[in-house]
Amino acid sequence: MAEIYKLNIDGYNAELPILPLPSGIKICFFNLHGASEMTEHCGKSLAKKLNGCDVVITAESKGLQLAHVVARELGQNYYAVARKSKKLYMQDGISVEYGSSITTGKPQELYLSRHDVELIKGKKVAIVDDVISTGESLKGLEALVEKAGGIITQKAFVLAEGSAADRSDVIYLAKIPLL
């Protein structure tokens, strides 16, 4: 039987499996994929904490359904998606390189289509994602928004992991430890 970490995410009770990473650290694994009820709850809760943004951006893949709910709740018809690989339709888009996250362990790149560049150019942008830990993925999203000409107004996450919970520049619903 796997170890479980129980927590309350702004009124939603969740049980997260504790998983070891190759580095020896254990994480409380949070996965919104396929969890429609939890995604709806978290998206609605985050939307209530965001104000004054014109558009939401997230990185694929676990942030996708979350950003969908947040954008819908904010009355936005579109949200921007930073892809982790360059798709055929993105030949005229932009990209940025950034450091490794706690789960990837290697440098990465984010891509934004021309459509999404135009969507956020000159707009107030809220970055939305599932978990902030080291902040490396956030740095990539920040660089992408800035390169596209957007103005970052808020950075919102469902969970803040470890010392990320001490950051004053992010909004989050609950915190989880690194074990």
Side-chain angles (χ1 to χ4, degrees), residues 84-85 96-111 134 136-137 140:
K84 293 182 180 175
S85 62
V96 296
E97 291 184 23
Y98 66 100
S100 60
S101 71
I102 195 167
T103 53
T104 62
K106 63 181 181 176
Q108 298 183 91
E109 200 163 357
L110 288 175
Y111 302 87
T134 64
E136 287 301 319
S137 298

Side-chain angles (χ1 to χ4, degrees), residues 18-116:
I18 297 172
L19 302 177
L21 296 178
S23 65
I25 294 173
K26 291 182 181 180
I27 60 169
C28 301
F29 181 64
F30 181 65
N31 186 9
L32 290 174
H33 287 312
S36 58
E37 182 181 47
M38 183 166 56
T39 300
E40 282 290 323
H41 173 81
C42 294
K44 288 176 180 179
S45 291
L46 276 182
K48 289 176 187 172
K49 295 181 178 291
L50 297 176
N51 54 50
C53 72
D54 302 314
V55 67
V56 168
I57 187 171
T58 194
E60 67 177 358
S61 76
K62 289 196 286 181
L64 290 173
Q65 56 271 47
L66 181 66
H68 175 91
V69 174
V70 171
R72 183 192 69 218
E73 292 299 306
L74 294 175
Q76 299 171 357
N77 292 325
Y78 294 95
Y79 56 94
V81 179
R83 306 280 180 183
K84 293 182 180 175
S85 62
K86 191 174 189 177
K87 308 298 182 194
L88 218 75
Y89 64 88
M90 302 175 83
Q91 300 310 308
D92 60 349
I94 62 172
S95 66
V96 296
E97 291 184 23
Y98 66 100
S100 60
S101 71
I102 195 167
T103 53
T104 62
K106 63 181 181 176
Q108 298 183 91
E109 200 163 357
L110 288 175
Y111 302 87
L112 201 59
S113 70
R114 174 59 47 198
H115 172 271
D116 285 353

